[in-house]
Amino acid sequence: MQGAGAPGGQGRAPSRPGALSRPRVLLLTYLLTTLDLTCLFMQFSVLPYLSRRLGLDSVAFGYLQTVFGALQLLSGPMFGRIQCPVLVALVANLLGAALSVTYIPASTKGARAGPPGGPAARVFDLRAVSRLLLQPGVLPVFLVKVASGFPSGLFMVMFSIICMDFFRLDSAQAGYLMSAFGVLLMVIQGLVIGRLSSRFSEAALVRASVLVLSLVGLAMALMSTVFHFCLLMPGLVFGLCLLNVVTDSMLTKAVSASDTGTMLGLCAAVQPLTRTLGPTLGGLLYRGFGVPAFGHVQLAVNLLVLLALCRQPTPRKADKVR
């Protein structure tokens, strides 16, 4: 039986004292992600009500969220004053960091970071990012991911304000709604997406996700009560999950193994980009045109994306296997 450091052990994680097996590493990764998102949404659910108590309107709250997105995008280690939810999030993330350092391997892939004898890769290498985006089949998929998901991101950024002003919910009721959103996200992403991926091509699934988001945009434009939102919420979660999972899969498979990390970083940067631009745009859109404007924008953008996708030839099944 070969060790992780043996020549034949490529692709295995390096063994070290206390390291977990691959299934347990995946389980711990899911646990840490759940912990992180729970703490993040704990803060999101409290912040709008606190900002309203401090006298901020929807546009000012949008500016506040823009600052948050910019800091997240730049990975700036900046923290505000401790509220109870922030303190709980701090302790939980410290626990997650301790578990990560103790049990998760430093490397889970056997591929080299670059060609032998080549220059060491820099952390902020815009030339490498541009090279990846210009590879065949990468830029169109990345643009679809950004364009199709951005209108929904605008709505979700302003969702807490919409819960207060449009749905007239208190903080507890908004929390219940976000919990239902999280449960739907977990069920659809864990039980539905994988089965669809095994039966349909990735191109077909991307088109389906854009079509669903278009229909959700139409329903959102007609929405007037929280009951209407509960009816369209499964479609919204399904469309976003399908779009993100399939486009991430397509993008990572389009590049070499050594570029997978960079591509995953680009995919992960889409959400901070939305949180940087979205709050200001969403605040102005909400104040100027109301909640139906989010549905109109989502419908129009996704219909344009769907039209562009339908004009592209559908790849054959053999192309997918290769």
Side-chain angles (χ1 to χ4, degrees), residues 250-261:
M250 295 175 69
L251 289 171
T252 53
K253 286 193 295 188
V255 300
S256 63
S258 60
D259 290 327
T260 301

Side-chain angles (χ1 to χ4, degrees), residues 5-218:
Q10 293 182 357
R12 298 181 184 176
S15 60
R16 65 176 181 180
L20 299 178
S21 62
R22 182 178 177 84
R24 294 191 176 185
V25 168
L26 292 175
L27 180 61
L28 181 58
T29 302
Y30 280 118
L31 176 63
L32 293 175
T33 303
T34 302
L35 187 66
D36 179 66
L37 292 178
T38 299
C39 296
L40 186 63
F41 280 100
M42 186 190 306
Q43 298 178 59
F44 286 167
S45 62
V46 173
L47 183 60
Y49 293 89
L50 177 61
S51 64
R52 180 56 53 86
R53 190 175 301 172
L54 296 176
L56 299 181
D57 59 10
S58 58
V59 176
F61 178 74
Y63 294 150
L64 182 63
Q65 292 288 82
T66 297
V67 172
F68 176 84
L71 294 179
Q72 186 182 18
L73 183 63
L74 298 175
S75 300
M78 302 180 65
F79 297 92
R81 295 181 180 272
I82 300 298
Q83 304 152 332
C84 182
V86 180
L87 182 59
V88 174
L90 172 63
V91 174
N93 279 279
L94 288 177
L95 175 61
L99 290 173
S100 299
V101 172
T102 304
Y103 293 110
I104 293 191
S107 176
T108 58
K109 300 184 69 173
R112 293 188 299 267
R122 294 177 296 175
V123 176
F124 298 102
D125 194 343
L126 297 180
R127 189 175 302 174
V129 172
S130 301
R131 176 181 59 83
L132 284 184
L133 291 177
L134 294 178
Q135 289 188 13
V138 171
L139 186 59
V141 177
F142 188 77
L143 291 178
V144 168
K145 179 181 181 67
V146 175
S148 186
F150 187 74
S152 297
L154 285 180
F155 177 79
M156 295 308 301
V157 163
M158 299 301 298
F159 183 69
S160 298
I161 293 294
I162 292 172
C163 284
M164 286 191 299
D165 294 346
F166 190 72
F167 295 146
R168 302 295 181 183
L169 302 180
D170 57 28
S171 58
Q173 293 170 330
Y176 295 147
L177 197 59
M178 290 301 297
S179 297
F181 193 93
V183 170
L184 275 175
L185 184 68
M186 180 176 60
V187 171
I188 292 176
Q189 190 158 312
L191 301 179
V192 178
I193 304 299
R195 296 183 180 181
L196 291 177
S197 300
S198 63
R199 297 186 179 184
F200 301 97
S201 68
E202 291 174 334
L205 292 177
V206 170
R207 293 176 182 177
S209 66
V210 176
L211 175 61
V212 170
L213 290 175
S214 301
L215 297 176
V216 169
L218 177 60

